[in-house]
Structures are given as structure tokens and as C-alpha cells.
Amino acid sequence: MNWRVGMGYDVHQLASGYRLWVGGIEIPFEKGSVGHSDGDVLIHAICDALLGAANLRDIGYHFPDTDPSLKGIDSKILLEKTMALLRSHAYEVGNIDSTICLQLPKINPFIPNMQTALSGVMKLDLSQISIKATTTEKMGFVGTGEGISAYATVLIYKV
């Protein structure tokens, strides 16, 4: 079997007047993620990891922030298109391991809903999607509440 590993990273500024979308769900908070799309940092990191593992470039190549048709798009649509592209190259996902870095709000209670949302879009079993959350102990742009970041590692294989 042809196994491949990919790693993705994304970061977005947090600001008032935006909604906070993480892992395909909206999280109530006074700030939201600034982005050309809905700014879902976790989905963007997962897309980059999947595309990288399959050697299909990156999310900005496939979904550029210069494309007006993508303005405000639901990142779940980008993930769905990424999965279709991956599967069109005969790849399937073994598992995803991801980490969201955010000082506030605490998102641990939302992780099961994120897993459910992502598994539905990706057509994967819940057990294939690991999501963890951490803070940066009040250090850096995440710690001061200026931004959010996410990391994702994926294992894919040729079918």
C-alpha cells in the first residue's frame, strides 16, 4: 500500500465583527476569525495537510483569496472539494491528528461537534479524526487573543 503523510498549518487574526468558525461549527465568542472565506483555521490546516500529502500543492493554489467567488465561502465546501480532488487521485484518508491553538474561548467542549461535522463532510469515521486544543500560556499572538492557529497531520493511502 502507498502511504503518504501531510502536514498543514494555518493562522487567522481574531477581530470583533466576525464569526468564529472552527472545525465546521460556529463557536459563540466576541471575536471571530478574519479571512477571505469564513476563516475556519482547522479546516484550512486539514485541507493543506491533505493536499500536501497527495502532492497537489496547497489550499491557496486551489482556492485563492483573490477569487471573488470564494469570498465568505463556508470552509466545509472547500474541504468537500479537497476530498473530491484527493479521491479523484485514488487516495483515501487513514487518519487526521490536529491541534487548535486558542487562548479564549475554551473550545474543548466543542470538539465532539467538530468531529461530527468533519466526519460528515469527509465521509470518515469519527475514530479517524483527532482534534486537540491548547493555549499558548498567554504568549504570542494566540496568547494575547490576537489570533488563532491550527496544525494538522494526515495519513493518506492509495486505493
Side-chain angles (χ1 to χ4, degrees), residues 52-64:
N55 196 20
L56 296 172
R57 305 219 29 190
D58 60 42
I59 190 171
Y61 176 80
H62 293 279
F63 313 109

Side-chain angles (χ1 to χ4, degrees), residues 12-142:
H12 283 274
Q13 181 182 3
L14 293 176
S16 298
Y18 292 85
R19 296 160 63 186
L20 183 57
W21 286 93
V22 184
I25 66 165
E26 186 174 7
I27 296 175
F29 192 54
E30 64 205 33
K31 294 179 180 179
S33 191
V34 179
H36 184 69
S37 66
D38 64 6
D40 192 320
V41 70
L42 180 59
I43 287 181
H44 297 172
I46 290 170
C47 286
D48 254 354
L50 292 166
L51 292 166
N55 196 20
L56 296 172
R57 305 219 29 190
D58 60 42
I59 190 171
Y61 176 80
H62 293 279
F63 313 109
D65 62 6
T66 55
D67 183 345
S69 72
L70 300 175
K71 181 71 177 155
I73 193 168
D74 182 336
S75 291
K76 291 187 294 295
I77 295 169
L78 304 180
L79 181 57
E80 190 175 327
K81 290 178 184 232
T82 298
M83 288 301 296
L85 182 60
L86 196 75
R87 289 180 172 132
S88 77
H89 284 83
Y91 285 108
E92 192 50 67
V93 176
N95 74 300
I96 298 167
D97 184 28
S98 62
T99 303
I100 304 158
C101 303
L102 181 63
Q103 197 66 40
L104 287 174
K106 298 295 183 188
I107 56 172
N108 238 2
F110 300 100
I111 288 175
N113 290 341
M114 290 180 203
Q115 288 173 300
T116 299
L118 295 176
S119 71
V121 171
M122 300 177 79
K123 297 176 180 42
L124 298 176
D125 189 80
L126 285 173
S127 68
Q128 293 174 273
I129 303 169
S130 168
I131 302 171
K132 303 176 302 294
T134 191
T135 69
T136 59
E137 302 296 330
K138 300 184 181 176
M139 296 183 296
F141 69 90
V142 169

